[in-house]
């Protein structure tokens, strides 16, 4: 199994934590050189140093995915260090839940900016580099089951993740002539720092009763009968990054244990 990503250069945004970190570690284990791009510079550097410590090629770069100059700088650092980019994961994201009638313009804009605009900018800047290299390349977006179904306390987040699905299709059509594929995966409830915070936030806004857990409530509707661990997701990410998925484009793989059926 090892070495499925040998000599490939992979950028993962939001890779200092949670799923991005799990994906970065798994792909490094398969031989890829990894660029960990994250708002949290300290955590990004620490994650890269850990990989370097076990003999793998990795760098950490601070970047806000919704700021084009930051994203361009990630491309430049990746090319400077490793010569090219083969795979780009638009994975960074966050959510601040609010009851539907309370959603503010600031809440909407900040969530759309990172989760949706960040994916547009990441896709454009990665694609420009792929084209400059002579074509080929894979873009993989992290959307969500919330992009397939709206949730009352997640309106901006669901809208942003729907936008990611739409961008995946538009970009796949736009970039096909350059032999670039664009796909997405849609997790359900994954045990990461994002969900730990979300669980607490949902109690704060009265969406979930104190003393109970939204994660547990959601879990009861999952066909597989439990929420996911990061390890449940990385195999799908690896498939999308590897040559096994070369004929796949414009697709969204639901990896949510069968929670939302589409
Ligand atoms: N955890 C879940 O249940 C779940 C389910 C479906 C989709 N997702 C999506 O998966 C992705 C990863 O989430 P996670 O659960 O691993 O969360 P996480 O909070 O553990 O990790 C997210 C990382 O993204 C970084 N980040 C946030 N905003 C950024 C920005 N503007 N620029 C660069 N980096 C930024 C954070 O610093 C953090 O390191 C997100 O897009 C999230 O929306 C998560």
């Amino acid at each position: 199994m090892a070495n499925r990503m040998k000599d490939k250069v992979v950028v993962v945004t939001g890779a200092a934590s949670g799923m991005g970190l799990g994906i970065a570690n798994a792909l490094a284990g398969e031989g890829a050189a990894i660029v960990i791009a994250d708002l949290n510079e300290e955590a990004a550097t620490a994650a890269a140093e850990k990989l370097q410590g076990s003999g793998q090629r990795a760098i950490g770069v601070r970047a806000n995915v919704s700021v084009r100059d930051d994203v361009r700088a990630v491309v430049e650092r990746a090319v400077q260090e490793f010569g090219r980019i083969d795979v780009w994961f638009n994975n960074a994201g966050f959510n601040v839940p609010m009851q539907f009638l309370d959603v503010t313009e600031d809440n909407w804009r900040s969530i759309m900016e990172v989760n949706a605009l960040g994916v547009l900018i990441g896709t454009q800047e990665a694609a420009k580099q792929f084209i400059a290299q002579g074509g080929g390349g894979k873009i993989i977006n992290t959307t969500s089951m919330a992009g397939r179904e709206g949730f009352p306390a997640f309106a901006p987040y669901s809208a942003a993740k729907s936008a990611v699905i739409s961008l995946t299709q538009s970009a796949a059509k736009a970039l096909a002539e350059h032999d670039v594929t664009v796909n997405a995966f849609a997790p359900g409830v994954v045990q990461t720092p994002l969900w730990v915070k979300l669980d607490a936030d949902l109690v704060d806004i009265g969406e979930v009763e104190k003393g109970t857990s939204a994660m547990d409530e959601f879990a009861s509707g999952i066909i597989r009968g439990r929420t996911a661990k990061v390890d449940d997701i990385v195999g799908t990410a690896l498939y999308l990054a590897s040559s096994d998925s070369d004929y796949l484009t414009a697709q969204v793989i639901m990896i949510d244990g069968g929670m939302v059926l589409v």
Side-chain angles (χ1 to χ4, degrees):
M1 269 313 210
N3 276 340
R4 272 194 280 176
M5 297 300 296
K6 190 172 180 300
D7 298 330
K8 300 290 184 194
V9 180
V10 180
V11 176
V12 188
T13 71
S17 173
M19 263 182 278
L21 180 60
I23 291 166
N25 288 338
L27 268 58
E30 293 280 348
I34 304 289
V35 178
I36 293 173
D38 202 288
L39 205 48
N40 185 338
E41 184 171 20
E42 209 181 309
T45 307
E49 282 171 357
K50 207 164 166 201
L51 285 172
Q52 289 161 8
S54 50
Q56 279 141 344
R57 295 188 300 156
I59 56 168
V61 185
R62 196 215 76 93
N64 181 342
V65 293
S66 62
V67 176
R68 193 176 293 276
D69 284 349
D70 282 13
V71 178
R72 273 204 199 113
V74 172
V75 172
E76 279 163 22
R77 275 295 306 282
V79 173
Q80 203 175 44
E81 290 286 333
F82 301 125
R84 57 183 286 112
I85 302 172
D86 299 289
V87 179
W88 182 285
F89 279 89
N90 287 309
N91 169 76
F94 81 107
N95 189 13
V96 177
M98 289 188 111
Q99 294 292 3
F100 186 82
L101 292 179
D102 298 334
V103 170
T104 60
E105 286 82 338
D106 276 354
N107 178 257
W108 171 270
R109 286 195 188 106
S110 62
I111 290 172
M112 289 300 281
E113 197 157 292
V114 173
N115 295 281
L117 179 62
V119 171
L120 174 72
I121 292 174
T123 303
Q124 290 172 321
E125 297 306 323
K128 286 179 201 165
Q129 177 58 29
F130 291 160
I131 293 164
Q133 293 168 186
K138 288 170 181 268
I139 291 167
I140 301 154
N141 299 325
T142 308
T143 178
S144 168
M145 61 160 180
R148 290 290 199 196
E149 184 176 328
F151 291 84
F154 297 170
Y157 183 78
S158 287
K161 292 300 190 183
S162 287
V164 173
I165 294 172
S166 181
L167 282 169
T168 300
Q169 296 175 354
S170 297
K173 289 182 180 179
L175 300 173
E177 64 175 300
H178 302 290
D179 195 25
V180 174
T181 63
V182 188
N183 291 293
F185 62 96
V189 181
V190 190
Q191 297 164 29
T192 67
L194 179 146
W195 244 106
V196 172
K197 184 175 173 300
L198 205 53
D199 234 358
D201 287 350
L202 287 166
V203 171
D204 283 350
I205 66 167
E207 178 72 7
V208 172
E209 260 179 61
K210 214 178 163 116
T212 58
S213 150
M215 225 170 165
D216 293 343
E217 265 180 39
F218 267 120
S220 63
I222 297 174
I223 293 176
R224 293 288 283 136
R226 62 172 178 83
T227 58
K229 295 193 169 63
V230 169
D231 279 352
D232 291 315
I233 309 299
V234 296
T236 297
L238 175 57
Y239 163 67
L240 291 173
S242 77
S243 60
D244 286 351
S245 62
D246 279 356
Y247 192 61
L248 193 83
T249 198
Q251 303 305 309
V252 179
I253 298 185
M254 298 296 293
I255 172 77
D256 66 346
M259 184 167 165
V260 168
L261 304 184
V262 288

